[in-house]
Amino acid sequence: MYKLSGLLMPVVLLGLISLGSTLNLNDPCTNPNGEAGRCIFFRECQPLVSIYNKPLISPEESTFVRNSQCGTSNGKALVCCAGIQTANRISTLPRPNQCGLDLSDRIFGGQPTALDEFPWTALIHYRKPNGNFGFHCGGSLITSRYVVTAAHCINAIPRGWQVVGVRLGEYDLKNANNDCDSDGCADVPVDMDVEKITVHENYNAQTKSQYDDIALIRFTRDVGFTDYIKPICLPIGDAERLRNNVGVKAIAAGWGRTEIASASDVKLKVQLDITDPKACGQVYRSSGVTLRDTQLCAGGARGKDTCSGDSGGPLMIRVKTNYFLYGIVSFGPNKCGTKDVPGVYTSVVKYIDWIENNIQ
């Protein structure tokens, strides 16, 4: 047994790849064990990353990693990772054994998450007319190719703004390198390019009530799952569709505005109660908003809310060991965390068929 230096590994990978491996990013491949896979970045192949992170690596494991090399992309190592969908394979919604597993403010009154907590949370990246870039909405990873977000994050943005990408695996926005805590360091976040955006066909950005506030963003390639990038489950089973009852405790997560800052650098979470839809509807009716059963409400406690910047992000309910996406942050009171004024979320349960019909 011997230890392979963390500094040596990338050099070895790149050096050996240059000797003859010629596959491109996302090409189908066969790993040294004869298993079908896809040629992806080394850091996105969790089985190989797990070997690389072991304190002691056997000669056989080292040989397996080296022989898994399949090419380079922009000077970065590509490896044949088994079990990854090929780019042209039809995506399917993951089942509970493949999604929503938890290993470990627009969030207002929240607390920091752990590095690997809610690994499906995404940030939508915008380019602005002045040449600047920024993250101003959230989303949730639901397959290796798709993030679900709010339609208003696409069709109700300032003139000249353009969605240019999605970031996954992020924790601390002010840190340009790996995010670390007392238990170790996370992987470097992954930025995904956008191939296609699908906004619900009935969404109208001009209406106060924001019906059908849901959209899908498709990446140009599949993302590899790691401890810090995983999909959340969708409530596709009959029993799961009934979980968002009044009084059920839910959790929202994101990088939105907090009570002490314009935005949070680190990912935050806050616990919110699902509230009675009739009572919530009465609260908003005075503002000219009429809610439908395709929307749900959560929160209403003073100082605990989602807020600007969290739009499109997840409202989650934990069922045993899995988190399910029940809500998408849509809108709320002008003053976040106003007592007795819950936030309004797109009810994901009502859009399962739409999601399944619009993923490829």
Side-chain angles (χ1 to χ4, degrees):
M1 303 284 285
Y2 65 98
K3 186 177 187 300
L4 187 62
S5 166
L7 292 177
L8 177 62
M9 185 64 163
V11 176
V12 171
L13 282 172
L14 291 177
L16 290 182
I17 287 172
S18 65
L19 295 179
S21 298
T22 58
L23 294 181
N24 297 315
L25 183 64
N26 280 323
D27 280 351
C29 59
T30 302
N31 76 356
N33 287 342
E35 300 168 312
R38 192 166 47 79
C39 199
I40 64 173
F41 290 112
F42 171 80
R43 68 174 183 271
E44 295 178 17
C45 184
Q46 187 58 41
L48 296 186
V49 170
S50 296
I51 294 174
Y52 176 50
N53 287 335
K54 292 172 64 174
L56 294 173
I57 303 175
S58 69
E60 293 78 14
E61 289 172 325
S62 178
T63 298
F64 178 79
V65 172
R66 295 183 187 187
N67 290 342
S68 294
Q69 301 158 18
C70 55
T72 61
S73 178
N74 296 324
K76 297 180 180 178
L78 298 177
V79 293
C80 185
C81 195
I84 304 295
Q85 289 179 334
T86 56
N88 60 358
R89 181 177 174 181
I90 296 176
S91 298
T92 56
L93 298 180
R95 298 293 174 174
N97 64 339
Q98 305 169 313
C99 61
L101 295 173
D102 183 57
L103 301 176
S104 42
D105 229 70
R106 191 167 133 149
I107 300 300
F108 192 90
Q111 55 184 315
T113 67
L115 286 182
D116 59 356
E117 200 169 11
F118 315 127
W120 40 83
T121 48
L123 284 160
I124 313 302
H125 203 192
Y126 298 88
R127 180 171 57 227
K128 306 173 187 179
N130 60 5
N132 290 335
F133 292 82
F135 298 106
H136 299 284
C137 268
S140 302
L141 185 69
I142 58 171
T143 75
S144 61
R145 201 69 180 262
Y146 282 91
V147 155
V148 64
T149 186
H152 77 263
C153 289
I154 309 299
N155 283 5
I157 56 180
R159 184 183 297 275
W161 283 29
Q162 181 183 2
V163 175
V164 293
V166 175
R167 177 169 292 182
L168 300 167
E170 181 61 274
Y171 177 74
D172 187 348
L173 285 167
K174 71 177 183 296
N175 186 2
N177 300 309
N178 299 57
D179 295 318
C180 301
D181 60 16
S182 58
D183 295 324
C185 295
D187 299 333
V188 175
V190 175
D191 289 313
M192 304 297 290
D193 294 328
V194 175
E195 178 181 288
K196 179 182 180 182
I197 299 177
T198 304
V199 174
H200 195 285
E201 57 275 11
N202 294 330
Y203 175 73
N204 183 349
Q206 305 305 315
T207 62
K208 285 185 176 182
S209 300
Q210 293 292 288
Y211 303 135
D212 306 307
D213 193 6
I214 185 171
L216 290 166
I217 300 177
R218 176 178 166 86
F219 310 141
T220 56
R221 62 182 179 87
D222 291 3
V223 66
F225 298 153
T226 71
D227 288 344
Y228 307 96
I229 300 174
K230 293 179 181 178
I232 189 171
C233 297
L234 296 183
I236 57 180
D238 291 339
E240 295 154 1
R241 289 175 183 248
L242 301 175
R243 292 280 184 172
N244 57 336
N245 294 324
V246 176
V248 170
K249 297 190 180 301
I251 295 176
W255 289 262
R257 187 163 66 86
T258 70
E259 61 268 41
I260 60 173
S262 58
S264 174
D265 288 320
V266 300
K267 181 166 55 177
L268 303 179
K269 62 181 178 180
V270 63
Q271 181 172 284
L272 305 168
D273 291 341
I274 303 294
T275 59
D276 179 69
K278 292 184 178 179
C280 182
Q282 291 175 353
V283 169
Y284 280 96
R285 193 167 294 120
S286 61
S287 301
V289 173
T290 302
L291 300 182
R292 293 178 176 172
D293 66 355
T294 56
Q295 297 163 298
L296 61 84
C297 298
R302 186 183 304 278
K304 289 189 175 183
D305 200 0
T306 49
C307 200
S308 58
D310 289 320
S311 289
L315 180 72
M316 307 164 279
I317 296 175
R318 185 168 182 170
V319 181
K320 296 182 180 179
T321 58
N322 299 90
Y323 278 98
F324 289 80
L325 180 66
Y326 277 90
I328 298 169
V329 180
S330 184
F331 66 93
N334 291 329
K335 184 178 179 181
C336 306
T338 299
K339 181 175 173 56
D340 297 326
V341 184
V344 178
Y345 300 77
T346 301
S347 179
V348 174
V349 167
K350 301 294 184 178
Y351 292 92
I352 295 299
D353 291 343
W354 182 86
I355 292 172
E356 291 183 318
N357 290 335
N358 284 279
I359 59 175
Q360 301 172 358

